[in-house]
Amino acid sequence: MKYLVRDKILAIGDDYWIEDERGRHAFLVDGKAMRLRDTLELKDPAGQVLVTLRQKMFALRDTMTIERGDEPLATVRRKRLSLLRNHFRVTLVDGTELDVSGRILDREFTVEYDGELLAHISRQWFHVRDTYAVNVVREDADAALLIAVAVCVIRMAERDRDGD
């Protein structure tokens, strides 16, 4: 299932819809303004919070956490000791690790588990400049988690590029 994300409106405090491939509202990204740290909530169309994305305040490396129901779900970090600048590691609370690699700032990257493709993020399917898709490849994959991972790594790569 492909999900359409419009890039230009990823500022904190802005709310925006992520649509499915049929143009229906699938997720609402609710940016929380006036917070000490970068915080977003990913909600279903009824307004139920599915996951919360937070920037970690006191980490040695840029880190974001993904929470579900106030419980940690995953931690997203730039991969250490990688020759690739655009390589992130997502560690789930159960110890499972996902690899994110590709051209993050170009919106051309993948999310894999143990060499198996879970999601492909790309602009190639759209002619609109500020739009990209999150193609969740596996039917049984957690789409909300994979979209949250994509949003996290893009935000982290942009902060790194901007020197924040």
Side-chain angles (χ1 to χ4, degrees):
M1 171 74 77
K2 286 183 188 158
Y3 297 94
L4 172 70
V5 181
R6 288 184 176 76
D7 234 1
K8 203 169 197 162
I9 46 183
L10 283 176
I12 289 297
D14 287 344
D15 298 345
Y16 61 94
W17 284 100
I18 295 174
E19 299 171 348
D20 67 15
E21 56 195 345
R22 294 183 185 107
R24 296 178 301 205
H25 289 169
F27 301 100
L28 174 67
V29 178
D30 185 357
K32 297 298 180 183
M34 306 302 290
R35 299 268 174 111
L36 194 55
R37 57 186 177 167
D38 196 355
T39 303
L40 299 166
E41 291 178 340
L42 188 64
K43 299 178 177 180
D44 68 14
Q48 186 75 24
V49 176
L50 301 172
V51 293
T52 302
L53 296 67
R54 296 184 203 278
Q55 177 184 8
K56 269 198 160 181
M57 290 299 293
F58 303 107
L60 294 175
R61 294 185 287 156
D62 193 15
T63 304
M64 290 191 77
T65 60
I66 301 171
E67 301 168 0
R68 181 169 278 145
D70 295 325
E71 294 291 324
L73 179 61
T75 303
V76 182
R77 291 185 180 93
R78 183 174 303 283
K79 188 173 180 183
R80 279 193 281 192
L81 305 174
S82 174
L83 298 175
L84 302 173
R85 211 171 136 72
N86 289 311
H87 198 165
F88 289 81
R89 169 80 28 95
V90 180
T91 306
L92 302 178
V93 292
D94 67 2
T96 301
E97 293 186 337
L98 307 179
D99 286 311
V100 181
S101 62
R103 297 185 324 272
I104 308 295
L105 294 173
D106 291 334
R107 309 312 189 254
E108 295 293 335
F109 59 97
T110 59
V111 180
E112 296 180 343
Y113 167 67
D114 202 22
E116 180 183 353
L117 181 66
L118 298 178
H120 180 217
I121 292 74
S122 180
R123 280 191 172 147
Q124 75 180 5
W125 297 300
F126 299 100
H127 298 293
V128 180
R129 184 181 177 283
D130 295 321
T131 302
Y132 66 92
V134 177
N135 184 16
V136 178
V137 176
R138 285 189 48 161
E139 298 258 339
D140 61 343
D142 184 341
L145 173 63
L146 294 171
I147 290 169
V149 165
V151 170
C152 283
V153 298
I154 289 169
R155 293 181 82 81
M156 293 168 70
E158 287 178 342
R159 275 198 306 266
D160 189 45
R161 177 197 63 200
D162 297 339
D164 290 351

